[in-house]
Amino acid sequence: MDIITTTLGGTDGMGKSIYNFLASVRLTIVLFLTLAVASIFGTIIQQGLPLERYETLYSPRMFSILEFFDLFDMYHSWWFISLLVLLAMNITACTIQRIPAIRRQIAREAREADDSVFTDSRTRIAIHSDDPLPVIEERTISFLKAFGPSPRITRRDGKMYFFCERWRWAKLGMPLVHLSVLLILGGALIGTIWGFTGSMTLIEGQESNMIFRSGDDDGVTLDFSVRCDRFTVDFYPSGMPRVFKTDVTILENEKPVLSDSIQVNHPLFYRGLKFHQSTYELAAVKDFTIDARDQRTGENHRLTVLPMKKASLPGVDASIAVGRFVPNFEGQGPAVLAVYIEPGTPHQIFWLPRNRPSQAGATGDFIFTFEDFDGLYYSGLQIRKDPGVNIVRAGFILIVVGVALSLMVSRQRMWVRVETGEGGSRITVAAQADRNAAAFEERIREKARKAGLA
């Protein structure tokens, strides 16, 4: 951002002072540093938790300080939004102050007949030629076309002047970058003020139109419903979940209008809302599948065991029951607390992690393997509404264009003057480039040789 020291004509007193304050680069630096420090606090302090949770995390004194500065919901606090608004005003003032100079540079008339450029320009090349004037004119036009569009030609005082220019619009790079920052700030503010993030919990077969937000007892009521048709989860052998997804149906006026699956990193978009798969929990277990291998006969028996119910073992007067289920037993995944029951002997109680066989019986007659279970899950969905997200995206696209214009495109201008005398013609070339002038001059000399001028 350029430092502007010009004064604003026609603006006096306090208005002028306010304008100069808003257009100050020092203000820009202070705001960026303040926002950076505030963002560090916003990263360290987890945002949006219930106040009761913060009371357990911090001492009473620290809790009071953090609450006073709204650091538990910092990005919605009045002071953080005020900083963003002030930064937007600062960038706007800087841009407005700079625009007249840029407009003059873009709209400036070509200086094709101004001899001063042949003494003031950094790049100047003088060439002597004995060729006829029409040949020189043709070669000069060919030479300049190598750099841009057809040159303008002016004849004055027995001299010929040629002028060509390209990438005049590169000067718009800086205003575009400023505009892109304003769009990003505006989109972020719109998302902060009118957007929200909440959650919805659904059990298979259940539907809901209520989104719950942390710290908001009323929540958000949708004018449509979301139904959980099915929830599935696959596990690694270690018991860690590999993939879990929720098949949902959107209901409008109790009629299904959309069915889709929501997975981690595969959200569902509907009417400006973004549905993420965030979590799941086991709500209930219906039954368990246990394989029982009889060591004496070598036979395998696949049993379906209901919670707290005995299942008889074929061929013997014994049974197996499940007294308890845990979704993750000592980091080994799901497991059941099995009970081997045989009349006349004490009950044998043992943990049976999934897919990890265990022996039971008076002499280890059976090997039991807990293979699977039929559970009822509830799916936790995170719902986010951000009406400013498209504005932010437009800002990022614009910032790429602006930075490309500012850093990768160089405005280039070239002038050629041809003076004819008794000893031949004198061709003078002058050129200006916003950056990389040395390479530009080298390219000019190369093109002049190829065109037959030098």
Side-chain angles (χ1 to χ4, degrees):
M1 192 175 295
D2 298 333
I3 298 177
I4 306 301
T5 56
T6 55
T7 58
L8 182 67
T11 304
D12 300 321
M14 183 176 293
K16 178 181 177 181
S17 298
I18 293 174
Y19 183 85
N20 288 334
F21 168 74
L22 290 175
S24 168
V25 174
R26 291 188 180 89
L27 176 63
T28 309
I29 296 173
V30 170
L31 288 173
F32 271 122
L33 290 177
T34 305
L35 287 169
V37 173
S39 298
I40 292 174
F41 281 101
T43 302
I44 296 175
I45 301 172
Q46 193 171 356
Q47 301 290 294
L49 296 178
L51 287 179
E52 296 78 11
R53 176 60 176 158
Y54 291 114
E55 288 177 336
T56 64
L57 294 175
Y58 302 101
S59 66
R61 181 178 178 82
M62 181 59 71
F63 175 83
S64 299
I65 295 173
L66 297 178
E67 187 183 28
F68 178 79
F69 288 104
D70 285 335
L71 290 177
F72 299 141
D73 192 15
M74 190 190 77
Y75 299 110
H76 293 86
S77 64
W78 65 269
W79 59 267
F80 190 83
I81 294 176
S82 299
L83 286 175
L84 295 181
V85 171
L86 188 57
L87 179 61
M89 295 172 66
N90 170 246
I91 294 174
T92 302
C94 289
T95 306
I96 292 175
Q97 202 173 46
R98 183 64 177 161
I99 280 180
I102 296 174
R103 186 175 58 190
R104 286 194 298 272
Q105 291 177 354
I106 293 176
R108 181 179 297 168
E109 291 294 332
R111 298 159 60 190
E112 63 269 20
D114 187 352
D115 288 305
S116 64
V117 297
F118 298 101
T119 56
D120 299 340
S121 298
R122 174 180 175 179
T123 299
R124 301 187 300 274
I125 302 172
I127 305 169
H128 177 80
S129 175
D130 295 323
D131 294 325
L133 188 58
V135 174
I136 293 175
E137 180 178 354
E138 181 182 350
R139 291 176 176 175
T140 301
I141 293 173
S142 174
F143 161 65
L144 292 175
K145 280 185 175 181
F147 293 91
S150 297
R152 296 182 183 181
I153 304 174
T154 303
R155 292 177 172 80
R156 182 168 62 88
D157 299 333
K159 304 174 185 175
M160 294 179 62
Y161 294 88
F162 301 78
F163 173 77
C164 75
E165 179 183 29
R166 73 171 184 172
W167 301 122
R168 180 190 301 183
W169 303 102
K171 292 293 182 182
L172 290 177
M174 186 274 291
L176 289 180
V177 171
H178 286 196
L179 178 59
S180 66
V181 175
L182 290 175
L183 288 175
I184 293 171
L185 288 175
L189 280 174
I190 290 173
T192 300
I193 296 173
W194 288 287
F196 64 81
T197 299
S199 62
M200 178 183 290
T201 302
L202 295 169
I203 298 176
E204 285 184 354
Q206 187 182 30
E207 65 180 64
S208 175
N209 66 342
M210 180 63 68
I211 298 174
F212 295 96
R213 298 187 296 180
S214 178
D216 182 5
D217 296 334
D218 296 332
V220 177
T221 303
L222 304 174
D223 55 1
F224 62 90
S225 298
V226 181
R227 185 180 68 204
C228 176
D229 297 326
R230 187 167 180 260
F231 177 82
T232 54
V233 54
D234 291 332
F235 296 91
Y236 289 107
S238 63
M240 296 296 291
R242 179 169 53 192
V243 60
F244 49 101
K245 69 174 183 178
T246 305
D247 297 330
V248 299
T249 296
I250 304 295
L251 304 168
E252 296 266 12
N253 298 321
E254 299 183 357
K255 296 181 180 178
V257 295
L258 175 66
S259 294
D260 206 342
S261 296
I262 303 174
Q263 298 184 47
V264 177
N265 297 327
H266 291 85
L268 169 68
F269 295 89
Y270 187 74
R271 293 177 57 172
L273 298 175
K274 188 176 183 181
F275 295 80
H276 293 271
Q277 179 72 66
S278 62
T279 186
Y280 72 93
E281 289 289 346
L282 191 63
V285 178
K286 299 176 182 176
D287 53 49
F288 309 94
T289 302
I290 295 178
D291 179 83
R293 178 176 177 78
D294 191 332
Q295 295 282 64
R296 296 162 299 183
T297 63
E299 295 179 344
N300 285 69
H301 306 285
R302 191 177 180 85
L303 306 174
T304 298
V305 184
L306 301 178
M308 303 302 292
K309 299 288 185 183
K310 293 190 294 185
S312 298
L313 295 168
V316 296
D317 186 14
S319 59
I320 185 81
V322 172
R324 186 182 169 197
F325 170 83
V326 291
N328 190 4
F329 177 72
E330 298 179 350
Q332 303 178 56
V336 295
L337 185 63
V339 182
Y340 178 79
I341 305 168
E342 187 173 355
T345 62
H347 292 358
Q348 296 182 30
I349 303 174
F350 53 95
W351 282 103
L352 198 57
R354 186 160 66 175
N355 296 325
R356 300 199 175 195
S358 181
Q359 280 188 324
T363 56
D365 299 334
F366 284 91
I367 297 178
F368 294 100
T369 304
F370 169 38
E371 295 185 340
D372 204 355
F373 63 95
D374 187 6
L376 183 64
Y377 290 92
Y378 71 76
S379 173
L381 303 178
Q382 185 184 68
I383 298 94
R384 180 177 175 83
K385 179 182 180 182
D386 188 354
V389 65
N390 289 329
I391 299 176
V392 173
R393 288 172 180 164
F396 278 110
I397 293 174
L398 203 59
I399 202 170
V400 172
V401 176
V403 170
L405 280 176
S406 298
L407 302 181
M408 302 176 65
V409 179
S410 172
R411 183 188 186 190
Q412 298 172 345
R413 291 179 292 173
M414 295 182 60
W415 298 265
V416 177
R417 183 180 60 194
V418 180
E419 305 168 86
T420 302
E422 294 181 354
S425 299
R426 177 181 174 83
I427 304 170
T428 307
V429 179
Q432 294 177 359
D434 288 348
R435 60 179 58 86
N436 206 2
F440 184 48
E441 180 177 345
E442 181 62 28
R443 186 163 175 253
I444 290 173
R445 293 182 183 278
E446 178 186 349
K447 295 295 182 183
R449 286 193 296 271
K450 289 184 177 179
L453 289 177

